[in-house]
Amino acid sequence: MTSIVWFRDDLRLADHPALHAALDRGGPVVLLYLFDQESPGIRPLGGATLWWLHHSLRAHAAEIHKRGGRLLLRRGSAEDVLPTLVAETGAEAVFWNRRYGASREVDARLTSTLRADGVEVASFAANLLVEPWEVTTAAGEPYQVFTPFWRAARERPMREPLPAPRELPGGPAPASDDLASWELLPTRPDWAEGLRETWEPGEAAAARRLEAFADEGLADYHRRDEPAIGTSNLSPHLRFGEISPTQIWHRMHGDLSPAARTNVPKFLSEVGWRDFNWSILYANPDLATRNYRAAYDAFPWSWDRGLEVEAWQQGRTGIPLVDAGMRELWRTGSMHNRVRMVVASFLVKNLLRHWRIGEEWFWDTLVDADEASNPGNWQWVAGSGADAAPYFRVFNPELQARKFDPDGHYVRDWVPAEELLAPIVDLAESRRQALDAFASLKR
Ligand SMILES: Cc1cc2nc3c(=O)[nH]c(=O)nc-3n(C[C@H](O)[C@H](O)[C@H](O)COP(=O)(O)OP(=O)(O)OC[C@H]3O[C@@H](n4cnc5c(N)ncnc54)[C@H](O)[C@@H]3O)c2cc1C
């Protein structure tokens, strides 16, 4: 009667349809997390997400333990580990929540091989508001523009979030890896101090953050573009599935102050951008390595990762808002959205570097780095993406700072006045060069 629930980027107990299905089936349940950095289509995690994963797994294991269960840890390629575990435990059923990137091919192959062996396999919608194939144009094509995508998506009936089980049944207890043996945390050097100060991974902390945001932050969300004001900070929790967008959707339709309520449509549309990026990735599994618009293949971006790129990574470009953002990223593993757009535009346009150089740096340093939103947003800024900002829109970091950080609070937090450097490029001149490069593409 044994079932296996395979946790992936859904490290929660509430609103977990795969877990629910296993419990409904009855009998012993094995709760598995499989650390797979090697299957085809898997993008190995960067340093910041490895840090988050360690803490998220520890929190998840503790929540499971409180309810009488146990989280089994295994490492390796899913197509080796899962069938082995099925044989070891005599499991008759395997359940998981769906994933939508290139690794879904692994799931499809596993479904066939396990079913061929007589094992029941079922997968569930859990990590997006809508399944990518449910929202298409009249011609059945994926949307390329956000506004009609979101108009269609938000009209669809949303799932009701499922409660967390109060108790978890025991089951066979095959040998588990020790989390520490995976060495997910940085040691030499330990650069994670700022991450520890900033974040608390795990489902319980995610739920508290959503409540705090609904009660306090949401009423100011119309000022979300001001980095000193801040936004929900839910993105890494969503990234690891410690909370589902469905839970967020329902909370936004619950009890809120009138001031908070006015900001709900805008906030939910931002959550909708996450779904939009996943739907783009679903249709374009190589989004991180290929221009969504092929016309950009001819763009004369430079691949030079030398001094200017290093100055950008280290927050030493001499452009205060850019340096503030890059230092915030290095210290906290995150950066305010408006500032992400400014630093990305600076790299891709003022420094004329390929967007993939920036995308890879963010992949390694962001705690919310995700397969869809990171390349999707980089391509958006570069102009090569879906519904992208036109290339000729070059953010002026000085104007952006005046507009969105008028008192300089954000910049001063990250770049003390005595650390201001001379700019590594002339903004006006480099902007002209970017526009010339764009004109060459049009020709
Ligand atoms: C160059 C660049 C790279 C980015 N890389 C990532 C990434 O790897 N992972 C990631 O989650 N977001 C990424 N973003 C989008 C956005 O900056 C973050 O989602 C946001 O800053 C997270 O803060 P928050 O949770 O407080 O957002 P809020 O404003 O509170 O928004 C709520 C949620 O909506 C979603 N969201 C908001 N904006 C976007 C967006 N533009 N695209 C997709 N989802 C969005 C996120 O899940 C976010 O948690 C990137 C943006 C840029 C410009």
Side-chain angles (χ1 to χ4, degrees):
M1 272 301 276
T2 300
S3 322
I4 296 175
V5 177
W6 176 16
F7 288 98
R8 294 99 73 90
D9 288 337
D10 48 6
L11 298 176
R12 62 179 182 270
L13 295 177
D15 197 31
H16 199 290
L19 174 62
H20 219 76
L23 297 176
D24 274 354
R25 186 171 176 272
V29 178
V30 174
L31 304 176
L32 166 72
Y33 181 83
L34 202 173
F35 183 48
D36 180 0
Q37 298 266 75
E38 53 206 83
S39 285
I42 296 268
R43 186 170 182 188
L45 298 185
T49 38
L50 287 172
W51 176 88
W52 190 286
L53 177 64
H54 174 97
H55 292 288
S56 190
L57 284 173
R58 225 176 43 186
H60 195 45
E63 289 295 331
I64 289 172
H65 187 72
K66 264 196 235 164
R67 291 166 170 82
R70 169 175 175 267
L71 181 64
L72 174 71
L73 301 178
R74 288 278 168 98
R75 149 176 225 165
S77 147
E79 284 170 272
D80 295 334
V81 176
L82 202 58
T84 308
L85 186 66
V86 166
E88 228 177 287
T89 56
E92 293 165 5
V94 179
F95 298 107
W96 62 69
N97 294 328
R98 281 178 212 124
R99 49 187 179 183
Y100 305 92
S103 56
R104 68 179 190 262
E105 301 294 335
V106 172
D107 299 354
R109 285 196 298 274
L110 271 167
T111 303
S112 315
T113 41
L114 291 171
R115 280 188 186 155
D117 286 343
V119 179
E120 177 189 346
V121 179
S123 72
F124 299 86
N127 299 324
L128 298 176
L129 288 172
V130 288
E131 297 294 271
W133 52 87
E134 287 174 355
V135 179
T136 55
T137 63
E141 299 291 326
Y143 281 102
Q144 303 197 22
V145 178
F146 174 72
T147 304
F149 167 85
W150 182 235
R151 210 180 293 129
R154 70 180 180 212
E155 294 306 326
R156 292 194 58 86
M158 294 288 166
R159 287 186 308 112
E160 281 296 319
L162 297 161
R166 285 185 198 198
E167 284 178 17
L168 292 167
S176 173
D177 287 1
D178 174 17
L179 180 57
S181 74
W182 291 355
E183 298 182 347
L184 307 182
L185 299 178
T187 46
R188 273 168 292 179
D190 170 12
W191 43 257
E193 187 190 351
L195 273 60
R196 289 191 290 273
E197 277 171 6
T198 312
W199 299 104
E200 187 183 352
E203 180 176 12
R208 283 196 298 275
R209 198 173 273 275
L210 174 61
E211 270 320 299
F213 177 67
D215 287 348
E216 294 154 28
L218 183 57
D220 286 329
Y221 197 69
H222 52 285
R223 295 177 67 188
R224 70 193 164 279
D225 278 329
E226 298 173 44
I229 298 281
T231 44
S232 73
N233 288 320
L234 282 165
S235 56
H237 299 291
L238 275 164
R239 157 70 182 79
F240 285 92
E242 298 167 355
I243 196 163
S244 74
T246 308
Q247 290 173 293
I248 295 176
W249 175 275
H250 281 271
R251 180 63 190 89
M252 289 298 123
H253 291 88
D255 201 18
L256 293 171
S257 71
R261 195 170 297 284
T262 55
N263 288 327
V264 166
K266 184 64 198 168
F267 176 67
L268 286 178
S269 80
E270 296 300 325
V271 179
W273 270 96
R274 176 177 175 275
D275 262 63
F276 179 62
N277 279 311
W278 278 103
S279 80
I280 299 288
L281 181 74
Y282 182 76
N284 303 271
D286 51 2
L287 191 66
T289 51
R290 202 169 54 89
N291 291 312
Y292 175 86
R293 291 166 198 260
Y296 277 78
D297 293 352
F299 195 89
W301 276 308
S302 159
W303 279 97
D304 178 3
R305 296 172 192 260
L307 288 177
E308 288 181 338
V309 168
E310 280 172 24
W312 177 80
Q313 291 172 333
Q314 295 167 4
R316 304 182 61 79
T317 66
I319 311 292
L321 186 60
V322 172
D323 291 351
M326 297 307 290
R327 291 177 192 201
E328 179 188 15
L329 172 61
W330 182 248
R331 178 84 192 156
T332 69
S334 189
M335 191 194 304
H336 184 274
N337 178 59
R338 168 72 30 181
V339 190
R340 291 187 200 199
M341 294 196 281
V342 170
V343 303
S345 167
F346 182 79
L347 182 77
V348 169
K349 297 178 181 174
N350 299 93
L351 298 182
L352 274 181
R353 291 311 196 277
H354 202 290
W355 58 264
R356 286 183 57 192
I357 294 180
E359 197 274 344
E360 285 168 14
W361 181 250
F362 272 31
W363 181 258
D364 200 26
T365 53
L366 275 176
V367 285
D368 65 16
D370 104 24
E371 259 181 279
S373 293
N374 197 39
N377 277 285
W378 272 95
Q379 295 221 43
W380 184 88
V381 175
S384 62
D387 200 4
Y391 186 86
F392 53 79
R393 176 155 182 225
V394 182
F395 282 89
N396 179 326
E398 289 169 347
L399 290 182
Q400 293 285 314
R402 251 176 269 151
K403 200 163 165 198
F404 296 114
D405 187 32
D407 304 319
H409 287 309
Y410 173 76
V411 164
R412 265 198 309 280
D413 269 355
W414 294 104
V415 188
E418 64 279 10
E419 285 185 28
L420 287 176
L421 302 165
I424 58 170
V425 284
D426 180 80
L427 288 176
E429 174 56 27
S430 56
R431 175 174 188 278
R432 256 192 310 278
Q433 282 172 5
L435 295 181
D436 287 350
F438 181 63
S440 79
L441 182 68
K442 281 214 295 207
R443 277 199 299 276

